[in-house]
Amino acid sequence: GGLLLMVLSAGLIFGLFLLCSLYLQNVLGTGPLATGLAFIPLALAAGAGAHAGGQLISRRGVRMPLAGAFALTAIGMALLSTVDGNGSYMRDVLPGMLIAGIGLGVAVVAASVAILTGARHDETGMLSGLNSTGHELGGTLGIAVFSSIAAGATGGIAGPGAASGIASAFLAAGVVASVAALIALTALPKASRFLARLRLSPHEMPIH
C-alpha cells in the first residue's frame, strides 16, 4: 500500500509542477525566471506539509494522515482545474498550488514511513530502493499521463486555448488524489497496529 501511494503521490507532485509551469509560461506568457520564482510558495508549502506529516504520523499512524493529505490535494487540484485563458497567478494558481503542496508534502513523508516501518533489518536496503524507485516511476508516469491529457484535450499545450486542456489535466489529477485517499483508507493498517510497529523501529521516523 505504501509503495502504491508513493507512486501516486510522486505522479501528482510532478504533474503539479508540470501543469502549473505549462499554464504560467504557455498560457499566461510568464517568463522562465518569473515562473521559477512562482514555485517558491509551493516549495514552502510542501516543506510545511512534510514537517506536519512527521508530527501527525507519530500520533495518528499513516492511514488517516495519508487519506487526509490526498483529500487536501484533491481540493487543491479542483481549484486549479478552474484555470482559463484570462486567469492570473494570484487568483487562479497560487491558492490551489498551496493547498495541493501542503497535502503532497504530508503524503510523500507518510508514504515513505509506511513503506519502511516494520521491515526486518536485512530488508531495509531493498525497501529503501523500492521507495526511491516508486518516486521516480511515479514522477515519470505523472508527467506522461497529465501532459497527454493536457495536450489531447485541445491538440496543443501553448496559447490561450491550451488552458482548457490543462484544466482537464488538473481535474484528472484531482480524481487520482481522491482515489489515492480511498486506497489509503483500505490498504494501510490502523493507527494502533502501525504505531506498535513504529515504536519497535523509531529510526524509520523522519526528523523535520
Side-chain angles (χ1 to χ4, degrees):
L3 180 59
L4 175 58
L5 292 171
M6 173 56 75
V7 171
L8 294 176
S9 62
L12 289 166
I13 289 174
F14 279 67
L16 178 61
F17 272 99
L18 174 69
L19 295 173
C20 286
S21 180
L22 291 175
Y23 179 72
L24 289 171
Q25 293 190 83
N26 294 359
V27 178
L28 300 186
T30 308
L33 177 60
T35 298
L37 294 174
F39 283 105
I40 292 176
L42 174 56
L44 294 175
H51 176 75
Q55 303 300 315
L56 287 170
I57 293 165
S58 63
R59 291 190 287 268
R60 303 289 184 181
V62 289
R63 183 161 74 169
M64 294 310 297
L66 263 172
F70 282 118
L72 193 63
T73 301
I75 293 171
M77 295 298 188
L79 289 175
L80 287 164
S81 70
T82 63
V83 296
D84 57 41
N86 299 312
S88 70
Y89 170 72
M90 293 297 294
R91 185 185 72 239
D92 299 290
V93 178
L94 185 60
M97 176 189 283
L98 290 175
I99 293 172
I102 293 171
L104 289 170
V106 174
V108 170
V109 169
S112 295
V113 176
I115 291 170
L116 295 171
T117 297
R120 297 195 306 268
H121 180 71
D122 59 347
E123 292 178 330
T124 54
M126 176 189 68
L127 290 175
S128 179
L130 283 174
N131 183 42
S132 299
T133 301
H135 188 273
E136 298 305 315
L137 177 63
T140 302
L141 291 172
I143 289 174
V145 170
F146 295 126
S147 63
S148 297
I149 293 172
T154 57
I157 53 173
S164 63
I166 295 172
S168 297
F170 276 127
L171 185 60
V175 172
V176 171
S178 299
V179 171
L182 295 175
I183 292 173
L185 289 173
T186 56
L188 298 181
K190 293 181 179 180
S192 57
R193 188 154 60 99
F194 179 84
L195 290 174
R197 291 184 178 182
L198 185 61
R199 293 186 189 103
L200 295 175
S201 51
H203 59 280
E204 291 156 2
M205 187 67 199
I207 298 174
H208 296 284

